[in-house]
């Protein structure tokens, strides 16, 4: 192994150790702050000065990030800043050819092929991650077993809190749970929403609703979401198998 490669790996290992240590620290937090604040279509229109019709067009033909809660569209302000800025600056022009249908279709076609490539840098990361997770797995397992009430650092909301967060009614949240399968917890007769899972669920369902109607830009987003979900499931199964094989 050359000195340069050794120095590089040592640096990566140091960074990775720091990240994992921070992750372990966050596990013991019982409730994370709800930093996201969702805005309605009218609120975004007032703040941006862009009409609601144009905002709807941006959500469709420019895939501006948003979430559908049944028929209502809500926006997280930090997610739409770039879209609003670009529209005000260049309108519907496409100087970078980002919205060319043929180009997007080609990216969709080539997506999985590109993901199958395995550059040396990714191999190095995989090996380091494997080594460091083996070192920290016992500590992580100990913390999560002891503090399950924290739900691994995620934010648990009541139905009322979830309704307020997603700018809708408790009845709509109940409907999303019972009719549409929104992820939730049920403790005795009460339902709870895990914020991070609910946001991911609404994001994917939003992308799917557009992709099903043939929107090429949202099809690209959905493709990436599906691939990431598959990768997470594979990683989880491998980690679970490794933990089961270890004798703690």
């Amino acid at each position: 192994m050359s000195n340069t490669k050794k120095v590089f790996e040592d640096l990566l290992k140091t960074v990775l150790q720091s990240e994992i240590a921070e992750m372990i620290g966050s596990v013991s937090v019982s409730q994370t702050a709800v930093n996201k604040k969702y805005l309605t279509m009218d609120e975004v229109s007032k703040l941006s000065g862009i009409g609601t019709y144009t905002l709807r067009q941006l959500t469709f033909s420019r895939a501006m990030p948003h979430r559908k809660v049944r028929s209502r569209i809500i926006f997280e302000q930090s997610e739409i800043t770039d879209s609003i800025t670009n529209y005000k600056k260049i309108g519907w022009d496409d100087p970078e050819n980002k919205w060319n249908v043929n180009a997007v279709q080609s990216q969709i076609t080539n997506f999985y092929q590109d993901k199958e490539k395995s550059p040396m840098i990714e191999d190095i990361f995989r090996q380091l991650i494997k080594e460091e997770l083996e070192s920290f797995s016992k500590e992580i397992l100990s913390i999560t077993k002891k503090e399950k009430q924290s739900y691994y650092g995620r934010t648990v909301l009541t139905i009322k809190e979830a309704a307020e967060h997603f700018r809708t009614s408790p009845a709509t949240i109940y409907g999303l749970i019972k009719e549409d399968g929104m992820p939730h917890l049920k403790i005795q007769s009460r339902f709870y929403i895990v914020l991070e899972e609910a946001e991911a669920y609404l994001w994917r369902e939003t992308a799917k609703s557009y992709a099903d109607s043939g929107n090429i830009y949202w099809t690209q987003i959905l493709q990436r979401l599906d691939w990431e979900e598959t990768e997470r499931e594979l990683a989880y199964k491998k980690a679970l198998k490794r933990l089961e094989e270890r004798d703690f």
Side-chain angles (χ1 to χ4, degrees), residues 193-211:
I193 296 295
V194 180
L195 176 62
E196 293 79 3
E197 292 181 4
E199 288 182 327
Y201 164 82
L202 289 173
W203 174 236
R204 188 189 182 281
E205 289 300 299
T206 298
K208 187 176 184 300
S209 70
Y210 289 111

Side-chain angles (χ1 to χ4, degrees), residues 94-111:
D94 187 17
E96 297 179 359
N97 213 31
K98 184 177 180 180
W99 305 104
N100 179 279
V101 173
N102 291 331
V104 175
Q105 183 61 64
S106 177
Q107 291 171 9
I108 291 173
T109 302
N110 296 330
F111 180 80

Side-chain angles (χ1 to χ4, degrees), residues 66-84:
H66 64 281
R67 287 165 179 81
K68 287 183 178 179
V69 183
R70 290 290 173 86
S71 60
R72 168 169 286 198
I73 290 177
I74 56 174
F75 303 88
E76 205 286 308
Q77 192 167 6
S78 65
E79 293 178 348
I80 63 174
T81 300
D82 288 344
S83 296
I84 297 294

Side-chain angles (χ1 to χ4, degrees), residues 8-138:
F8 179 64
E9 289 192 8
D10 288 343
L11 177 60
L12 286 180
K13 189 170 184 177
T14 300
V15 172
L16 192 60
Q17 286 175 330
S18 175
E19 290 295 319
I20 293 178
E22 184 176 344
M23 178 185 71
I24 291 173
S26 69
V27 167
S28 61
V29 179
S30 62
Q31 288 285 312
T32 58
V34 181
N35 294 320
K36 289 186 177 180
K37 180 181 179 181
Y38 287 99
L39 305 174
T40 64
M41 181 77 74
D42 287 340
E43 288 170 339
V44 172
S45 180
K46 289 177 182 178
L47 286 172
S48 66
I50 298 175
T52 56
Y53 173 80
T54 301
L55 288 173
R56 287 184 181 276
Q57 291 301 306
L58 285 170
T59 64
F60 184 80
S61 59
R62 288 295 185 266
M64 183 165 73
H66 64 281
R67 287 165 179 81
K68 287 183 178 179
V69 183
R70 290 290 173 86
S71 60
R72 168 169 286 198
I73 290 177
I74 56 174
F75 303 88
E76 205 286 308
Q77 192 167 6
S78 65
E79 293 178 348
I80 63 174
T81 300
D82 288 344
S83 296
I84 297 294
T85 300
N86 289 337
Y87 174 75
K88 286 184 173 181
K89 184 178 179 180
I90 63 176
W92 298 105
D93 292 338
D94 187 17
E96 297 179 359
N97 213 31
K98 184 177 180 180
W99 305 104
N100 179 279
V101 173
N102 291 331
V104 175
Q105 183 61 64
S106 177
Q107 291 171 9
I108 291 173
T109 302
N110 296 330
F111 180 80
Y112 290 105
Q113 181 179 350
D114 292 341
K115 289 301 178 184
E116 288 172 359
K117 296 178 182 177
S118 181
M120 183 182 72
I121 181 67
E122 293 186 14
D123 291 336
I124 294 175
F125 268 116
R126 287 193 189 97
Q127 182 60 32
L128 288 174
I129 289 172
K130 178 182 177 182
E131 293 173 358
E132 292 308 308
L133 284 181
E134 285 180 351
S135 299
F136 284 100
S137 59
K138 185 174 182 178

Side-chain angles (χ1 to χ4, degrees), residues 112-202:
Y112 290 105
Q113 181 179 350
D114 292 341
K115 289 301 178 184
E116 288 172 359
K117 296 178 182 177
S118 181
M120 183 182 72
I121 181 67
E122 293 186 14
D123 291 336
I124 294 175
F125 268 116
R126 287 193 189 97
Q127 182 60 32
L128 288 174
I129 289 172
K130 178 182 177 182
E131 293 173 358
E132 292 308 308
L133 284 181
E134 285 180 351
S135 299
F136 284 100
S137 59
K138 185 174 182 178
E139 187 174 358
I140 292 172
L141 187 64
S142 173
I143 292 173
T144 55
K145 279 185 175 180
K146 185 171 62 177
E147 303 191 18
K148 282 186 177 180
Q149 72 275 11
S150 71
Y151 202 74
Y152 309 104
R154 298 187 177 189
T155 306
V156 179
L157 304 177
T158 65
I159 296 298
K160 182 180 178 180
E161 290 170 336
E164 291 173 353
H165 182 72
F166 292 117
R167 308 301 301 276
T168 189
S169 67
T172 298
I173 297 297
Y174 276 118
L176 287 170
I177 289 172
K178 294 181 178 180
E179 298 168 26
D180 300 337
M182 174 183 272
H184 62 279
L185 301 172
K186 186 176 182 182
I187 302 176
Q188 295 182 345
S189 61
R190 299 190 67 179
F191 291 92
Y192 297 89
I193 296 295
V194 180
L195 176 62
E196 293 79 3
E197 292 181 4
E199 288 182 327
Y201 164 82
L202 289 173

